[in-house]
Amino acid sequence: MPEKKKIIANEIIELDQVSSTNDYAYQLALDGKQEGCVVVATEQTTGKGRLGRKWDSPAYLGLWFSIILRPTAQAPAATLYPFFASVAIVKTIQKLFSLTPDVKWPNDLLINQKKFCGILTEAAFERQQIKFLILGIGINTNQTPADFLPEMRAVSTSIRQEIGEWVNNQMFLQQLLTQLDSYYSIVLKQGFAPIINLWKSFCRSLGQTIALKQPETTMKGIFHNLDQDGSLILRQENGQLVKILSGDLDYLKK
Ligand code: BTN
C-alpha cells in the first residue's frame, strides 16, 4: 500500500526565539505558505492567549507551535478546528503517559483541574470562506510550580508536574504531530461529528453545574451539550436552553 501523504508537518520551521509562533505563521500564510506547515519555537517573547491575554512561553519548559490550515469551509466553521487539536492532544497524552486529561470548553486542557494546554485560533477570511487558519498550541511540559507566575500557580500545571518526570519535548512533539495529522484527515473525510463525540467523551464538566463568564454577564446553569458547531448549550435554572458561542467557563459545586 502506498503511504498516505501527510498534511500536518509536511514542513517544520524551527525557531530559537520568536515573538509569537502564531504571528510568524500568520505572516507566512499571508505570503502563500502551504497548508500543514508547522512553526515551532523554543521560546516566545510575547506569546498570545485567548481574549487578549498573555501566554508565558519560557525556553524548554513547554511546546509552543502553530499550524497553517487551509480548509475549504465557511467562516463560521473556524471555531470547530481547535476541537480536533484537543482530541489529538488527549490521545497523545493517553498513549505516552497513560493519563487522560480533561477538556474544558472551549479549548483548554486540564490535569487534576489545572490548565496545562491552551489553543488560540486566528483566521483570515475571504468572501465568507476561510482563507487560512492558524492553530496555535501551547503545552506546559516541564514547568515546576516555581516556574509559573505567582498569580497563575494555583490554576496552572505541567505534564512533568503531574507525572513526576521530565518530558522530552522533541519526542512529544513528533508523536503529537502524527496524531494531529490523523485527526485532521478524519475531519477532511468525515467532518466534525466524530471529533465532537470524542471531545464530549473527554469532557468532565458535561452535565455539571457551570458558570460562564462573558464581558458583561455571568450565566449559571448545567452544561447540557456541545453543539455540532462547537457552541456550548447551557440549561438555565428555568429549564431554558441557551446557545453560547464564546466565554470563560468555571466549574461550580452543585
Ligand atoms: C489560551 O489558552 O489562552 C491559548 C494559548 C495559546 C498559546 C499558544 S503558544 C503557540 C501559539 N503562539 C501564541 O502566541 N499563542 C499560541
Side-chain angles (χ1 to χ4, degrees), residues 20-22 44 47-50 55 64-66 108 115 118-120 136-138:
S20 153
T21 55
N22 262 35
Q44 297 186 119
K48 303 188 294 182
R50 278 177 65 236
W55 182 265
W64 328 121
F65 68 102
S66 303
D108 290 350
K115 177 165 169 173
I119 302 173
L120 175 67
I137 300 177

Side-chain angles (χ1 to χ4, degrees), residues 29 36 42 62 82 128 166 177 194 214 241 254:
T42 306
Q128 311 300 319
W166 180 266
L177 291 174
Q214 290 177 318
L241 297 180
K254 272 185 214 159

Side-chain angles (χ1 to χ4, degrees), residues 103-129:
V103 291
K104 182 179 167 209
W105 189 85
N107 305 137
D108 290 350
L109 281 93
L110 317 179
I111 306 174
N112 290 327
Q113 289 161 43
K114 291 183 173 185
K115 177 165 169 173
F116 73 97
C117 171
I119 302 173
L120 175 67
T121 314
E122 295 182 279
F125 303 107
E126 205 170 55
R127 289 184 292 274
Q128 311 300 319
Q129 290 279 118

Side-chain angles (χ1 to χ4, degrees), residues 26-215:
Y26 198 99
Q27 190 55 50
L28 286 178
L30 281 178
D31 295 343
K33 183 60 88 181
Q34 82 281 359
E35 167 164 82
C37 177
V38 171
V39 177
V40 55
T42 306
E43 179 182 13
Q44 297 186 119
T45 51
T46 48
K48 303 188 294 182
R50 278 177 65 236
L51 309 171
R53 298 181 188 126
K54 287 187 191 154
W55 182 265
D56 198 29
S57 322
Y60 306 108
L61 299 184
L63 278 180
W64 328 121
F65 68 102
S66 303
I67 308 168
I68 299 173
L69 298 178
R70 295 185 180 277
T72 307
Q74 301 279 319
T79 51
L80 278 167
Y81 289 83
F83 289 94
F84 94 79
S86 294
V87 167
I89 298 164
V90 172
K91 289 281 184 182
T92 307
I93 290 176
Q94 277 186 327
K95 190 171 156 208
L96 293 179
F97 310 116
S98 309
L99 177 87
T100 304
D102 178 19
V103 291
K104 182 179 167 209
W105 189 85
N107 305 137
D108 290 350
L109 281 93
L110 317 179
I111 306 174
N112 290 327
Q113 289 161 43
K114 291 183 173 185
K115 177 165 169 173
F116 73 97
C117 171
I119 302 173
L120 175 67
T121 314
E122 295 182 279
F125 303 107
E126 205 170 55
R127 289 184 292 274
Q128 311 300 319
Q129 290 279 118
I130 297 173
K131 194 169 164 220
F132 61 79
L133 284 177
I134 306 299
L135 203 59
I137 300 177
I139 304 180
N140 298 334
T141 52
N142 284 316
Q143 288 97 331
T144 62
D147 294 315
F148 291 113
L149 299 169
E151 65 273 22
M152 298 306 289
R153 224 162 266 161
V155 292
S156 307
T157 193
S158 70
I159 299 176
R160 174 187 174 194
Q161 207 169 306
E162 300 301 324
I163 65 168
E165 276 171 41
W166 180 266
V167 176
N168 178 329
N169 279 343
Q170 205 57 36
M171 176 277 296
F172 183 36
L173 179 64
Q174 204 183 3
Q175 298 275 334
L176 178 53
L177 291 174
T178 304
Q179 292 288 345
L180 283 162
D181 187 54
S182 303
Y183 283 95
Y184 191 49
S185 73
I186 291 178
V187 168
L188 296 179
K189 287 193 203 114
Q190 302 173 45
F192 279 96
I195 301 293
I196 295 287
N197 285 336
L198 276 167
W199 189 93
K200 280 162 59 173
S201 74
F202 299 135
C203 179
R204 289 171 204 161
S205 50
L206 195 61
Q208 303 294 313
T209 306
I210 56 166
L212 266 160
K213 285 192 230 151
Q214 290 177 318

